[in-house]
Amino acid sequence: MKPGNTKAREKRGAVIGVVLFGVLMGACVVCFWALCIIPELPQWLFILFSACGVFCAALMVPALWALKRRFQEIDALEDIKPVTLHEEEKIMVLVNIDYIPGKEFEVLGMAKGTVVQSKNFGKDFMAGMKTLVGGEITGYTEMLNEARQIAVKRMVDEAEALGADAVVNIRYGSSAVMQGAAEVIAYGTAVRFK
C-alpha cells in the first residue's frame, strides 16, 4: 500500500473516532437536557443535570485538540513510515546476539527507543466486537508493527548520537499502559568497531 494511502487512512480513522465520540457526547447532552425539563424537578437535580450536560459538551474541546495533534503526528510519521527494519539495518548493524562474527568492538552504552501507541475509538470498538468471534485483530497488529518501527528508529538515532556502528543484543519489550494503548521499547548495546 502506498504511504499516501496509509496517511489518508490514518487521518480518516482518527476523524471517525472523534465523530463517534462526538455522537456519544451529543447523546449524553440530549439526555441530560431531557432530564432538566422534567416538571417539578428539584433545583439541585436541575443544577446537577445541567452541569453534567455542559461537561459532556466541553469534552469535545480536548477531543478536537487530540485530533489536531494526531494529524500532526501522522504528518511527522511520513519520515518514519517508509523506513523498514531492513533499511535501518543498512544504516547500522542490528543483531540480537551479543557479538558480531569477525568484528571487534568497544561498548558505548545502552541505546533505547520507546513509544506508546494507541488506536482510535472506532478501531478500539471494532476490536472489541472482534473478540466476540475470535481471530486476528489486524488493527492492533498494525499498531504494534508501527510502534516497533518507531521504537527501532529511535533506538538507532540514539545509537548514532553515541557514535555507534552497531547495536548488539537487541531486545523488545511491550506492556499495556491503558485500555487500547501499548508501550513498545527496543533496546540494545551500542558498540563502535575497532
Side-chain angles (χ1 to χ4, degrees), residues 87-94 155-156 159-160 164-167:
E87 289 177 21
E88 291 295 345
E89 289 175 345
K90 291 177 188 173
I91 297 168
M92 182 170 296
V93 178
L94 304 174
M155 177 188 67
V156 168
E160 285 176 341
D165 297 316
V167 181

Side-chain angles (χ1 to χ4, degrees), residues 24-193:
L24 178 64
M25 290 300 101
C28 289
V29 169
V30 168
C31 288
F32 285 121
W33 175 78
L35 290 171
C36 284
I37 61 171
I38 294 174
E40 300 178 20
L41 184 70
Q43 184 69 25
W44 70 273
L45 275 178
F46 177 80
I47 293 170
L48 176 67
F49 293 151
S50 297
C52 289
V54 169
F55 178 74
C56 288
L59 283 176
M60 283 309 297
V61 173
L64 292 172
W65 176 81
L67 179 65
K68 178 184 173 195
R69 292 291 308 225
R70 181 61 181 147
F71 277 11
Q72 292 169 345
E73 287 174 2
I74 291 168
D75 291 337
L77 283 176
E78 192 172 76
D79 299 332
I80 295 174
K81 279 203 175 205
V83 177
T84 64
L85 187 58
H86 302 297
E87 289 177 21
E88 291 295 345
E89 289 175 345
K90 291 177 188 173
I91 297 168
M92 182 170 296
V93 178
L94 304 174
V95 294
N96 67 346
I97 55 178
D98 57 0
Y99 64 93
I100 299 173
K103 297 279 188 180
E104 287 189 35
F105 51 79
E106 63 176 299
V107 174
L108 301 174
M110 183 197 285
K112 65 191 170 323
T114 186
V115 65
V116 176
Q117 195 86 348
S118 73
K119 280 294 178 190
N120 61 59
F121 179 76
K123 293 242 184 193
D124 273 348
F125 179 77
M126 293 310 294
M129 294 296 103
K130 181 73 173 185
T131 61
L132 293 173
V133 295
E136 181 182 8
I137 302 173
T138 56
Y140 285 140
T141 301
E142 291 168 2
M143 176 188 77
L144 287 171
N145 283 334
E146 180 181 320
R148 273 190 291 274
Q149 277 186 321
I150 294 168
V152 168
K153 171 87 170 101
R154 290 178 180 172
M155 177 188 67
V156 168
D157 290 346
E158 193 171 297
E160 285 176 341
L162 293 171
D165 297 316
V167 181
V168 299
N169 205 24
I170 294 175
R171 299 289 182 256
Y172 292 99
S174 179
S175 63
V177 176
M178 58 183 271
Q179 178 76 24
E183 175 198 29
V184 173
I185 184 168
Y187 60 95
T189 305
V191 298
R192 181 174 27 231
F193 296 139

